Amino acid sequence: MKYSNQIQKLIEELASLPGIGSKSAQRLAFYIINMPKEKVQRLADTLVTTRNNIRYCKVCCNLTDQEVCPICNHEKRNKKQIMVVENPRDLAAYEKTGKFEGVYHVLHGAISPMLGIGPADIRLKELMIRLQEDVDEVIIATNSSLEGETTAMYISKLIKPTGIKVTRIASGVPVGGDLECIDEVTLLRALEGRTAL
Ligand code: ZN
């Protein structure tokens, strides 16, 4: 045992976070130990408060601290145009462009037979319920990975019988590319070049 139990525990907790290897975990642990106590308290409070207060928006399933998120609540947003994304980070990427005036639906994942993730494991049912209201267009903006394409096909087949227009963002987005890593211009081009499914 290189460190005291308490330090070891902190390192293990940090190392369990995504993208943090054991070296980074050690560095962070010692940084935290040397931080003023009030700062550590504030960090800990923020972690707990955020975790406790964040939930899914009742309408679009985006993460929010309110019952209905600010986007769904915004009177100027076009509620008849719904963009379907895989996760809140993808939503944030499109929101950053400032050009999309519709609303979103966050699936929290994508269908992946390989990983055993089926349609019931993502927020699809919630989307179908929304479509019972007056909707003009569903824009499928899932990633262009195998899972993203599988999900897009599945959703379009599901929506077809309703007669609602279904479009898919253009594949200016590199294959396997994560939406959040792509620059705003490419995102906008993908949105503008969307095609009917
Ligand atoms: Zn919402």
Side-chain angles (χ1 to χ4, degrees), residues 57 59-62 68-69 71-72:
C57 165
V59 181
C60 73
C61 300
N62 189 22
V68 175
C69 78
I71 298 172
C72 291

Side-chain angles (χ1 to χ4, degrees), residues 24 28 30 34 42 53 60 64 68-69 71-72 74 79 82 91 101 115 119 122 129 138 143 151 174-175 179 182 192:
S24 302
L28 281 172
F30 286 104
N34 288 307
R42 205 163 59 219
N53 292 341
C60 73
T64 175
V68 175
C69 78
I71 298 172
C72 291
H74 203 290
K79 311 287 189 310
I82 301 176
L91 182 156
E101 283 162 0
L115 296 173
I122 57 177
I129 292 169
V138 174
N143 295 344
T151 309
V175 172
L179 276 188
I182 295 156
E192 278 155 15

